[in-house]
Amino acid sequence: MLSYHDTLPLRWQPAQGALPPAWAEQNLRMLTALVALGERVMVEVDTPGAAEFERLHHKFDLVIELLGALLRTTREAMPATPLRLSGTGLFWATSGDAPAAGTLLDVSVQLHACAPTPLQWRGEVVDCRDGELQLRFLAMPEALACALERHVFMQHRRSVAGARSP
């Protein structure tokens, strides 16, 4: 199962009521936005306008960082937690307050500091062994599942590339 490790803001609570009707669309929008934030277009140095393009790109990066800083001041803080995310679930270290297997949880994960909202899922606790909780996401629309798998693949690929480079 393809996954990646990171330390991200995470919040979980026992599932309550139905998920908001637009939860899947909101998650899909956030994952699409993360792709756009991670894109980098390479322009040949000799191309006319390359220096201007690069200057504008840096300005947009600054605006995105400033927006992210503003968003961080206005939203509820979630504790940064070491976790592992896959296309089908989430794993994270827990203390003694771990829920039992079979418990439904609502989880929120802030995948990027500049994303306006965290991604939200409902999942079932599969296991809690050696202080690590394993959560399997409940069924989600196919488009969202594909976007999540693409995100996991890209992050996994970046982590492998980062481990290989000095």
Side-chain angles (χ1 to χ4, degrees):
M1 168 179 38
L2 195 61
S3 64
Y4 74 96
H5 293 266
D6 207 340
T7 300
L8 298 169
L10 169 78
R11 179 179 53 237
W12 62 270
Q13 64 185 20
Q16 300 172 354
L19 284 169
W23 75 271
E25 291 85 11
Q26 179 178 329
N27 280 351
L28 187 55
R29 277 195 309 274
M30 288 304 104
L31 287 168
T32 303
L34 289 177
V35 170
L37 286 171
E39 280 183 343
R40 177 71 180 184
V41 176
M42 302 307 281
V43 178
E44 298 273 338
V45 176
D46 298 339
T47 305
E52 180 65 12
F53 178 82
E54 197 61 31
R55 187 181 70 76
L56 288 172
H57 185 80
H58 287 301
K59 285 186 176 189
F60 278 118
D61 282 347
L62 177 61
V63 169
I64 289 169
E65 279 301 316
L66 291 171
L67 178 60
L70 178 63
L71 288 171
R72 285 189 294 276
T73 64
T74 62
R75 64 179 166 227
E76 180 184 337
M78 297 189 300
T81 305
L83 55 82
R84 182 166 50 103
L85 178 63
S86 75
T88 59
L90 188 60
F91 305 78
W92 72 90
T94 62
S95 56
D97 62 345
T103 303
L104 290 179
L105 298 179
D106 288 336
V107 295
S108 298
V109 180
Q110 189 73 43
L111 292 180
H112 192 285
C114 295
T117 60
L119 270 75
Q120 300 174 351
W121 289 285
R122 179 160 291 168
E124 179 181 358
V125 175
V126 175
D127 195 11
C128 187
R129 185 178 307 150
D130 300 326
E132 183 180 66
L133 189 137
Q134 178 183 357
L135 183 85
R136 181 181 56 236
F137 298 137
L138 297 185
M140 62 183 85
E142 185 177 349
L144 178 57
C146 289
L148 178 59
E149 288 173 10
R150 187 171 42 248
H151 170 76
V152 169
F153 174 77
M154 294 302 292
Q155 293 301 317
H156 174 76
R157 194 171 90 183
R158 286 180 183 152
S159 66
V160 169
R164 288 183 180 165
S165 64

